[in-house]
């Protein structure tokens, strides 16, 4: 898994992977690896730029969503800091909810998350946190 994640991240940053085969779980693995390599701001910027370029190259630029990208990067970074994970496998075993695309629904309504504005800029959550 480690070699696969490292290779996938290299291809992602080089923007030469096949987007058809780049699944949600791959997104999470690459985000994890980039957050290990770079500080949060650099990782988020690099991740967003590469993802947007890959989507654009695949004639799917309209699928890139800044809010989803930044929110997932934030959530992954926070979870990474909550424990001392040695690798992606141990991280994802303890955080398997991140493999669901619906994990952001705890904080965002579908309308807000899928809005044209959310695609362009990072939007703060619109759902109140339950106590």
């Amino acid at each position: 898994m480690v070699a696969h994640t490292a290779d996938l991240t290299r291809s992602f940053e080089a923007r030469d992977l096949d987007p058809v085969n780049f699944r949600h779980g791959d997104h999470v693995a690459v985000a994890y690896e980039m957050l290990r390599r770079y500080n949060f701001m650099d990782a988020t910027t690099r991740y967003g730029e590469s993802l947007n370029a890959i989507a654009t190259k695949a004639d799917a630029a309209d699928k890139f969503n800044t809010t989803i990208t930044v929110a997932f990067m934030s959530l992954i970074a926070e979870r990474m800091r909550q424990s001392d994970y040695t690798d992606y496998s141990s991280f994802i075993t303890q955080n398997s909810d991140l493999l669901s695309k619906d994990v952001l629904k705890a904080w965002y309504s579908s309308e807000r998350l899928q809005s044209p504005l959310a695609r362009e800029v990072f939007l703060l959550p619109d759902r109140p946190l339950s106590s």
Side-chain angles (χ1 to χ4, degrees):
M1 175 65 88
V2 174
H4 170 71
T5 302
D7 291 342
L8 187 62
T9 302
R10 272 191 291 282
S11 292
F12 180 82
E13 286 196 271
R15 303 170 184 181
D16 67 0
L17 54 76
D18 178 5
V20 172
N21 296 318
F22 190 60
R23 306 281 183 222
H24 177 72
D26 297 328
H27 284 261
V28 175
V30 168
Y32 173 88
E33 184 64 29
M34 291 181 80
L35 286 161
R36 285 186 65 183
R37 292 180 186 182
Y38 310 112
N39 70 52
F40 176 78
M41 294 302 290
D42 287 344
T44 302
T45 299
R46 287 170 180 258
Y47 185 95
E49 288 174 348
S50 292
L51 185 59
N52 194 19
I54 291 166
T56 299
K57 189 175 176 182
D59 292 326
D62 60 322
K63 289 190 175 189
F64 179 79
N65 186 309
T66 299
T67 300
I68 292 173
T69 300
V70 174
F72 258 103
M73 292 296 285
S74 297
L75 188 54
I76 293 166
E78 180 180 342
R79 299 275 185 90
M80 287 173 70
R81 300 313 183 274
Q82 289 176 341
S83 190
D84 195 18
Y85 299 104
T86 57
D87 58 29
Y88 178 71
S89 293
S90 61
F91 172 77
I92 206 60
T93 298
Q94 295 299 312
N95 296 281
S96 61
D97 63 319
L98 295 174
L99 295 176
S100 169
K101 293 180 182 181
D102 294 334
V103 73
L104 297 180
K105 287 185 177 184
W107 300 280
Y108 290 92
S109 66
S110 293
E111 297 79 23
R112 184 165 179 87
L113 206 53
Q114 297 304 322
S115 70
L117 187 58
R119 293 182 185 290
E120 293 178 34
V121 300
F122 175 73
L123 302 180
L124 293 172
D126 62 339
R127 290 204 167 150
L129 295 175
S130 55
S131 329

